[in-house]
Amino acid sequence: MRVLIVGSGGREHALAWRLARGAGTAPLSDREMVVAPGNAGMARDFARWGPGRARCAPLPRGGVDGVVALARAERADLVIVGPEQPLVDGVVDALAAADILCFGPSAAAARLEGSKAFMKDVCARAGVRGAAFVATSRVDEARRFIDERVRAGLGVVVKADGLCAGKGVVVCPHAPDAVAVVEDMLGVGRAAPRFGDASRTVVVEDLLPGVELSVFALCDGHDAALFGAARDHKRLHDEDRGPNTGGMGAVGPLDQRHGVPASMLAEVKERVVLPVLAELRARGAPFRGLLFAGLMVDGGVPQVLEFNVRFGDPETEALLLALDVDLLPALVAVARGERLPPVALQSADKAAVVVLAAAGYPDDPQQGAIIEGLEQAEQVQGAQVFCAGVAEDPAGHLAVAGGRVLVVGGRGASFDDALDRAYRAVDRIRIAGAQVRRDIGRSVRAR
Ligand SMILES: Nc1ncnc2c1ncn2[C@@H]1O[C@H](COP(=O)(O)OP(=O)(O)O)[C@@H](O)[C@H]1O
Ligand SMILES: [Mg+2]
């Protein structure tokens, strides 16, 4: 079986790493992982897995058509798409039309991530709890909603409707600030909206208090199997200070000791995931793939902030590191449009991942610094290094080529163990100017 994984980062490295090994610890000979385009760090890791186990391949230009061309040329038995843009652009539909099996939602179902206004409408119809909102292209309508919140002394959040690579959300604890944000996003007084078509419409919603939680659900259109819950760390600096990032570290799976009892996951399945699947089915867009629910939990009650329609990064690296399960049969069944086979996605072991980011990330990541110490890092028992923004320089050294460079994981019987292993591995890696949060998992460490 040849599996083509589309994408270039830590998430794709982790997917290849887990899928290649089935439920065990050594890469299997009956399957080959091809990551396109992948990166030079991944390619070096793959070379150590033994012949025919995994490799990187260039991704042809042409967006969705390039993916179809490569899947054909590689005679891929299954395609898994990491990032959201090709899913929203219809890569799954194009592969299906070419008779190639692909794990992921159709463009119609991927709108759940591609349009926040669509997502809010689906949730409202399905009776799923989330922040009160208005979706509009008109400043006066947004202003009416904001004025009500100002009178009530509440904060709001302004979101561009479409995909903005994580830059389309502005949290406004002081609601009056939101009017200017709305005007800026819609492009009032300018030729075009701030994010082009992605911000012709905005969603303005209530600012919810609480702690965030990420829940992954493997969905076959009707039913779902949930992974354990994970927690990302979005801000650049310790104690949740500094600018927002793509994620500086994650821990999972969380359990009752960390405020996530099994009953909460069951509630998320019954009251969030299954109603959304039913609503999408009713709209003729059954969701087959990985549904990522971004939740805000306050007083034990989860509310939906957003959905992603693919594995999230870096939560995926943590959850896959904690798991000894062969995911491939379930992914194939979902891709075929069959019902989910029983699959145990909960694990007792814990995992933590810590991101090494380039100097200057996220605004202006500095490229080219040499990366040293990867082999020493992987000698730490239970540690695993996933490569994200890594290239090879002309002299053959691995070097920084991106914002988030490495995602360094540790697995253990407790978060204490997992975090110790991850940080011991981090401390063996040398990258000039690298930024690392030192407090990943602090809130779960002792528990
Ligand atoms: N209603 C809300 N209340 C509080 N915080 C929010 C709310 N909506 C979003 N946020 C914050 O903004 C971040 C980004 O919002 P999200 O909807 O996940 O958009 P995206 O991931 O597409 O940028 C969230 O992770 C959360 O920290
Ligand atoms: Mg998000």
Side-chain angles (χ1 to χ4, degrees):
M1 178 136 195
R2 180 172 291 156
V3 181
L4 173 61
I5 301 173
V6 178
S8 64
R11 161 184 54 202
E12 288 76 20
H13 193 175
L15 280 165
W17 176 84
R18 184 65 270 158
L19 290 172
R21 284 160 176 75
T25 54
L28 302 170
S29 59
D30 68 348
R31 47 183 79 172
E32 182 185 29
M33 304 295 136
V34 180
V35 183
N39 64 59
M42 240 187 254
R44 244 184 230 195
D45 186 33
F46 294 163
R48 303 182 309 177
W49 296 4
R53 301 298 196 266
R55 62 189 156 84
C56 293
L59 187 61
R61 285 181 183 282
V64 163
D65 293 339
V67 174
V68 175
L70 180 63
R72 266 219 193 90
E74 289 283 359
R75 295 211 207 90
D77 297 299
L78 177 70
V79 180
I80 301 171
V81 180
E84 62 275 18
Q85 189 73 56
L87 292 167
V88 170
D89 292 345
V91 70
V92 174
D93 311 76
L95 287 162
D99 240 354
I100 298 163
L101 208 55
C102 183
F103 174 83
S106 65
R111 266 188 92 195
L112 210 51
E113 178 166 2
S115 166
K116 291 193 191 289
F118 176 79
M119 170 271 183
K120 292 298 286 184
D121 185 56
V122 166
C123 285
R125 294 292 172 91
V128 170
R129 252 197 222 112
F133 74 103
V134 63
T136 181
S137 302
R138 293 176 35 188
V139 176
D140 57 345
E141 210 178 335
R143 191 193 296 270
R144 258 200 305 280
F145 180 92
I146 294 164
D147 283 346
E148 273 176 37
R149 270 55 200 175
V150 171
R151 279 195 292 277
L154 300 172
V156 300
V157 180
V158 182
K159 303 183 174 189
D161 178 44
L163 295 183
C164 292
K167 305 210 182 303
V169 171
V170 181
V171 176
C172 305
H174 183 61
D177 302 345
V179 176
V181 175
V182 169
E183 287 175 345
D184 176 57
M185 281 209 191
L186 294 175
V188 172
R190 285 199 315 269
R194 163 73 51 193
F195 300 106
D197 285 344
S199 67
R200 283 189 195 287
T201 296
V202 294
V203 170
V204 186
E205 65 182 36
D206 283 347
L207 175 64
L208 300 176
V211 289
E212 286 185 64
L213 200 64
S214 304
V215 173
F216 288 15
L218 193 51
C219 301
D220 67 6
H222 294 258
D223 199 5
L226 267 55
F227 286 79
R231 179 156 297 133
D232 189 4
H233 297 62
K234 282 270 170 216
R235 300 294 199 93
L236 181 65
H237 300 305
D238 285 19
E239 320 218 313
D240 293 330
R241 285 176 295 113
N244 256 317
T245 70
M248 294 299 290
V251 288
L254 307 175
D255 59 42
Q256 71 284 349
R257 287 166 292 179
H258 324 109
V260 188
S263 60
M264 188 185 291
L265 280 183
E267 184 186 330
V268 169
K269 180 173 171 179
E270 294 302 322
R271 302 232 191 143
V272 175
V273 176
L274 295 184
V276 164
L277 294 184
E279 176 65 23
L280 287 174
R281 231 167 36 241
R283 295 180 187 215
F287 188 96
R288 300 194 187 91
L290 196 288
L291 184 63
F292 167 133
L295 306 169
M296 185 70 89
V297 183
D298 189 34
V301 180
Q303 301 209 61
V304 174
L305 293 183
E306 67 154 351
F307 287 112
N308 295 333
V309 298
R310 30 85 194 179
F311 287 96
D313 202 337
E315 294 97 323
T316 296
E317 289 91 313
L319 292 177
L320 294 184
L321 191 54
L323 214 62
D324 302 301
V325 175
D326 189 3
L327 286 175
L328 200 52
L331 301 187
V332 168
V334 167
R336 286 195 178 125
E338 296 166 1
R339 297 301 293 267
L340 258 183
V343 54
L345 300 178
Q346 315 281 325
S347 74
D349 269 7
K350 304 298 182 194
V353 294
V354 178
V355 171
L356 280 90
Y361 175 77
D363 293 335
D364 182 23
Q366 303 299 299
Q367 309 294 288
I370 290 184
I371 303 168
E372 289 175 306
L374 291 189
E375 290 78 11
Q376 293 89 317
E378 294 209 311
Q379 276 157 16
V380 174
Q381 201 203 338
Q384 194 64 45
V385 178
F386 301 113
C387 295
V390 179
E392 203 159 89
D393 74 7
H397 300 117
L398 292 183
V400 171
R404 290 184 294 170
V405 182
L406 300 173
V407 182
V408 179
R411 171 177 166 161
S414 66
F415 279 122
D416 245 349
D417 269 1
L419 284 156
D420 281 344
R421 288 170 176 177
Y423 275 112
R424 261 168 40 222
V426 164
D427 289 337
R428 294 180 175 198
I429 296 171
R430 293 175 305 284
I431 304 173
Q435 306 185 81
V436 178
R437 268 183 71 160
R438 284 284 154 190
D439 68 340
I440 300 301
R442 187 166 286 167
S443 65
V444 297
R445 207 180 227 286
R447 283 177 266 168

